Amino acid sequence: MFEMVHNRQLIFGEDTIAQLPALLKWRQLKKPMIAVYSPDAPCLNALCQELKKEGISWYLHAGIHGEPDLNCVNLGRDIFLSNGCDCTIAIGGGSVIDAAKAINMLAVNGGMIEEYQMEGRPVTVAPPFFAAIPTTSGTGAEATKTSVVLNNHNGLKKSLYHTSMIADVVILDPTVTLELPPSVTAATGMDALSHAIESYVSLNASPITEMYGLKAVSLISKNLAEAVRQPDSLTARGNMMLASYFGGVAITAGIGIAHIMAQPLGAVFQIPHGDACSVFLPISIQLNRDHAKKRYVELAKAFGVSTDDRDDDQIIDRLLQAIRTLQDTIQAPVSLKPWLTRNLSEEELLDTVKRTTGHITCNPRPLDEALILEAWRAAL
């Protein structure tokens, strides 16, 4: 048994952001809250001009900086309500999109976001219309029903989710990613690759997530380095947007040890999520390989690795080498050392990981203390 939730509408192509105002007008929506990473975002002016043409007003919420926390979401809900907004548009990376989907849900369901995150409060009212316009290619947040929020009270970064929180409309416009610096392009690309690989070896993988995951791996292997080295390549940018979206769909199969480690440790040491995933992705393959050999072989084929006259272990070795070569090419991190600002005991590590992601059971190798400690030591 498996369940899939897809966006109602996906629009892909250059300058397609200009189509959004007409979609709002057709739905008789009159005042979106636009959550954006910066009021100076190059794509924002063009969108606002089109909104004016359609006679639609808006409220600009440009206060989402870094990964969203409880205060960010609860304040966003107040802003939405006090300004009479009737829908939400997110323009930004995964943090902006995650914050916006949580704000949009909270605006009509009431309470505080920590009640949904930590206490299991149910979503009882369908959220307003929500459109996501990603400006990075990696998190896949536009394709998921999940919002990752930092809890200010306990320091944990934990997900909350509901089927109705997925974006109604997603616009993948490669022109909005042209301003991304190489380091962000690299980090978000490694996040997308982690989504694709972890979902494919997940114990909850389905024929649908497998299809999306393999295609994401193929696109990333052919386009990420070019997107980093040739940032004005709309072809590479567009293919990475598709890869990110496909990876976002695929990760509904669940995360594995790479994300199990990256998510909580990213919060502890303030590591950008994509960089943390870059560190743990090859480690995850090495730790899981004996539990999912045939699946890693299929991933190697999708990555473009030669499989002629090789046994499974040799093919997996080649996959690992191909990933390390990609990391070297795009200068993606392979160790946690640059972020270790304090000592973390093994007891504290285990407690942090277990409280945040210890409930996850779809990693191909059973999640236990030994696996967590192996991953930690390898990342050092």
Side-chain angles (χ1 to χ4, degrees), residues 6-27:
H6 290 283
N7 309 101
R8 188 173 182 86
Q9 186 174 9
L10 171 69
I11 302 171
F12 172 81
E14 296 175 30
D15 301 317
T16 49
I17 190 173
Q19 296 185 26
L20 182 56
L23 296 176
L24 298 181
K25 185 176 182 179
W26 184 83
R27 289 173 170 80

Side-chain angles (χ1 to χ4, degrees), residues 285-286 288-290 292-298 300 305-307 310-324:
I285 296 173
Q286 189 64 41
N288 285 330
R289 60 187 297 165
D290 290 339
K293 281 189 179 182
K294 296 300 182 182
R295 288 189 169 268
Y296 283 122
V297 168
E298 293 304 312
V305 171
S306 172
T307 59
R310 298 286 187 275
D311 62 29
D312 290 351
D313 281 310
Q314 290 175 318
I315 293 170
I316 296 170
D317 286 341
R318 287 194 166 199
L319 172 62
L320 283 164
Q321 185 55 54
I323 292 172
R324 293 184 180 115

Side-chain angles (χ1 to χ4, degrees), residues 118-326:
M118 304 303 297
E119 300 171 21
R121 176 169 172 165
V123 174
T124 57
V125 180
F129 174 84
F130 172 47
I133 304 171
T135 59
T136 64
S137 299
T139 69
E142 68 277 6
T144 74
K145 61 182 181 180
T146 303
S147 177
V148 182
V149 177
L150 176 65
N151 189 299
N152 308 80
H153 303 314
N154 57 28
L156 299 179
K157 190 162 60 173
K158 194 172 187 296
S159 299
L160 57 130
Y161 49 87
H162 190 265
T163 297
S164 65
M165 286 171 58
I166 196 168
D168 298 285
V169 172
V170 172
I171 295 179
L172 303 180
D173 183 344
T175 64
V176 308
T177 68
L178 291 175
E179 303 297 321
L180 274 182
S183 61
V184 178
T185 300
T188 53
M190 290 304 297
D191 188 17
L193 183 60
S194 181
H195 290 165
I197 290 177
E198 289 212 283
S199 66
Y200 193 77
V201 300
S202 167
L203 298 180
N204 293 337
S206 71
I208 296 176
T209 63
E210 291 166 358
M211 174 181 66
Y212 280 104
L214 288 177
K215 186 62 178 179
V217 168
S218 177
L219 287 169
I220 293 165
S221 70
K222 296 171 184 175
N223 292 278
L224 178 53
E226 182 181 350
V228 172
R229 293 181 299 198
Q230 302 291 332
D232 59 346
S233 171
L234 281 171
T235 298
R237 292 289 194 186
N239 284 333
M240 283 305 301
M241 291 203 90
L242 289 174
S244 174
Y245 181 82
F246 294 160
V249 176
I251 204 64
T252 58
I255 59 176
I257 188 61
H259 272 78
I260 286 169
M261 299 297 291
Q263 185 169 309
L265 292 177
V268 171
F269 293 110
Q270 300 299 300
I271 309 172
H273 181 65
D275 286 333
C277 287
S278 175
V279 171
F280 283 106
L281 177 59
I283 294 169
S284 73
I285 296 173
Q286 189 64 41
L287 295 177
N288 285 330
R289 60 187 297 165
D290 290 339
H291 298 261
K293 281 189 179 182
K294 296 300 182 182
R295 288 189 169 268
Y296 283 122
V297 168
E298 293 304 312
L299 287 164
K301 293 177 183 177
F303 205 91
V305 171
S306 172
T307 59
D308 294 340
D309 301 321
R310 298 286 187 275
D311 62 29
D312 290 351
D313 281 310
Q314 290 175 318
I315 293 170
I316 296 170
D317 286 341
R318 287 194 166 199
L319 172 62
L320 283 164
Q321 185 55 54
I323 292 172
R324 293 184 180 115
T325 299
L326 176 62

